[in-house]
DNA sequence: ATACCATGAACAG
DNA sequence: TGTTCCTGGTATC
């Protein structure tokens, strides 16, 4: 099942690019007007009433988090986790909810249904700030300072493969982008952070910025553009429309070596033992 | 009908 | 480190 442009269905599990893309798309549909907020499934019910009918001022993405600034001062917080997804229905008529819809936001332009989130709650601005304060720089934000990432990586003895999933160090990367960022820079995922050169961490940052920006544009993860030696069309897309060098590959797309995995940060980190020597 | 799997993260101990 | 929660598509009986 493929997400169609404009109809807003996001089937893939989200990393930071998904969150920024959602913020962008949903801003056009919801921001600047009163929004009917409800919880067909019920779990968000008492909180929904706090913002039901209130004007939505802004949707702000930060790493894998979404913050909703409501005109009455409340701040909505959504984190999709592994299973969360939005469905968008264009038009003034809210249709029957599909599946378990935790939160529904409707305007006369569209209805946005949220299911399966790890977090869906109403916060104060102070609580929002606490969440943001514990996040590392987000490569998709203009206010991000990569020097913070360099410092935090070099202070850690953890393997870089685990560090890149730590949202306190850098926010927005998930299991796909960490593998691809390490691959593109020829870095073995088990190398300890404190043994990386500053230039290497800066390169990981630049790669992340480029990949995530491209991911927002494509609304999916296609990393194989990022090497000059990759001829266009050489690499076939998966059923989901994604394409990676090592993530979930049997063989390295560049050199054909069997891809290995290392359990890092509680999930398998795919890498090419030839392109990413220890 | 049931099992299993997935690109996340909080929490307990 | 292990456990738990969130959902739904696909595979397997």
């Amino acid at each position: 099942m493929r997400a169609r442009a404009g109809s807003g269905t996001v089937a893939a599990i989200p990393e930071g690019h998904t969150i920024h893309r959602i913020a962008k798309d949903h801003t056009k549909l919801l921001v600047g007007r009163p929004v009917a907020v409800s919880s067909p499934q019920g779990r968000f019910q008492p909180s929904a009433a706090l913002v039901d009918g209130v004007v939505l001022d802004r949707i702000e993405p930060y790493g894998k988090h979404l913050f909703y600034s409501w005109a009455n001062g409340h701040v909505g917080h959504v984190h999709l986790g592994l299973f969360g997804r939005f469905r968008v229905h264009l038009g003034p008529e809210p249709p029957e909810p599909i599946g378990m819809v935790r939160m529904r936001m409707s305007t006369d332009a569209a209805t946005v249904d949220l299911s399966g989130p790890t977090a869906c709650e109403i916060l104060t601005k102070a609580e929002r700030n606490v969440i943001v304060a514990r996040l590392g720089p987000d490569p998709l934000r203009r206010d991000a300072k990569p020097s913070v990432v360099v410092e935090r990586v070099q202070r850690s003895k953890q393997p870089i493969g685990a560090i890149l999933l730590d949202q306190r160090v850098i926010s927005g990367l998930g299991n796909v982008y960490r593998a691809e960022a390490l691959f593109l820079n020829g870095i073995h995922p088990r190398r300890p952070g404190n043994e990386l050169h500053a230039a290497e961490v800066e390169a990981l940052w630049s790669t992340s910025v480029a990949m995530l920006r491209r991911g927002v544009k494509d609304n999916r993860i296609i990393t194989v553009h990022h090497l000059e030696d990759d001829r266009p069309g050489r690499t076939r897309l998966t059923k989901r429309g994604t394409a990676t060098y090592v993530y979930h590959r049997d063989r390295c797309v560049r050199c054909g070596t069997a891809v290995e995995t290392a359990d890092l940060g509680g999930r398998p980190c795919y890498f090419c033992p030839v392109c990413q020597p220890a």
Side-chain angles (χ1 to χ4, degrees):
Chain A
M1 184 215 303
R2 192 148 302 172
R4 262 180 298 282
S7 91
T9 302
V10 176
I13 290 165
E15 298 194 19
H17 67 301
T18 312
I19 302 311
H20 283 255
R21 175 61 181 255
I22 286 168
K24 206 176 284 241
D25 291 349
H26 293 192
T27 292
K28 291 193 195 106
L29 302 173
L30 304 176
V31 164
R33 40 191 138 193
V35 182
V37 183
S38 62
S39 181
Q41 172 233 35
R43 275 187 60 175
F44 184 60
Q45 195 44 259
S47 300
L50 297 174
V51 292
D52 185 22
V54 174
V55 171
L56 181 59
D57 287 335
R58 178 153 119 98
I59 303 175
E60 180 198 21
Y62 206 122
K64 297 174 189 168
H65 298 257
L66 286 163
F67 296 101
Y68 297 78
S69 300
W70 296 96
N72 61 3
H74 288 299
V75 180
H77 173 226
V78 168
H79 192 296
L80 295 180
L82 206 45
F83 311 122
R85 66 186 282 180
F86 283 101
R87 283 188 177 86
V88 174
H89 312 273
L90 298 178
E93 293 284 302
E96 273 305 295
I98 299 168
M100 304 289 274
V101 176
R102 181 85 63 87
M103 175 173 66
R104 160 168 280 188
M105 293 180 285
S106 291
T107 68
D108 46 16
T111 294
V112 172
D113 284 346
L114 169 66
S115 62
T118 284
C120 176
E121 57 192 349
I122 297 294
L123 305 176
T124 63
K125 287 174 185 168
E127 288 168 325
R128 174 261 180 214
N129 292 341
V130 169
I131 291 173
V132 167
R134 58 170 199 246
L135 292 174
D138 174 352
L140 286 172
R141 287 181 63 105
R142 290 163 200 265
D143 58 6
K145 290 209 289 259
S147 59
V148 173
V149 177
V150 175
E151 183 201 323
R152 289 179 187 174
V153 167
Q154 291 189 319
R155 208 193 311 151
S156 171
K157 291 178 179 169
Q158 293 285 108
I160 185 63
I163 296 172
L164 291 182
L165 283 188
D166 186 342
Q167 303 296 303
R168 294 169 300 184
V169 176
I170 180 169
S171 62
L173 298 189
N175 204 14
V176 181
Y177 281 126
R178 82 152 161 186
E180 299 295 294
L182 290 168
F183 171 83
L184 282 167
N185 291 287
I187 296 173
H188 193 286
R190 288 202 195 278
R191 283 180 58 199
N194 59 2
E195 292 179 14
L196 291 189
H197 306 292
E200 290 179 300
V201 184
E202 281 157 10
L204 284 169
W205 173 265
S206 310
T207 302
S208 302
V209 171
M211 288 193 304
L212 283 160
R213 280 187 186 158
R214 184 65 191 242
V216 173
K217 195 175 290 187
D218 293 341
N219 206 14
R220 66 187 62 182
I221 301 177
I222 302 172
T223 58
V224 294
H225 308 292
H226 293 277
L227 274 186
E228 288 171 16
D229 63 3
D230 186 67
R231 292 190 296 274
R234 190 180 83 181
T235 308
R236 227 178 310 173
L237 304 185
T238 67
K239 274 172 280 184
R240 279 216 178 92
T242 62
T244 54
Y245 286 109
V246 288
Y247 175 78
H248 224 294
R249 293 279 187 194
D250 291 333
R251 302 198 162 273
C252 171
V253 165
R254 183 205 270 154
C255 77
T257 302
V259 166
E260 297 178 13
T261 61
D263 199 327
L264 291 170
R267 40 201 348 103
C269 184
Y270 294 79
F271 69 99
C272 171
V274 172
C275 297
Q276 299 163 261

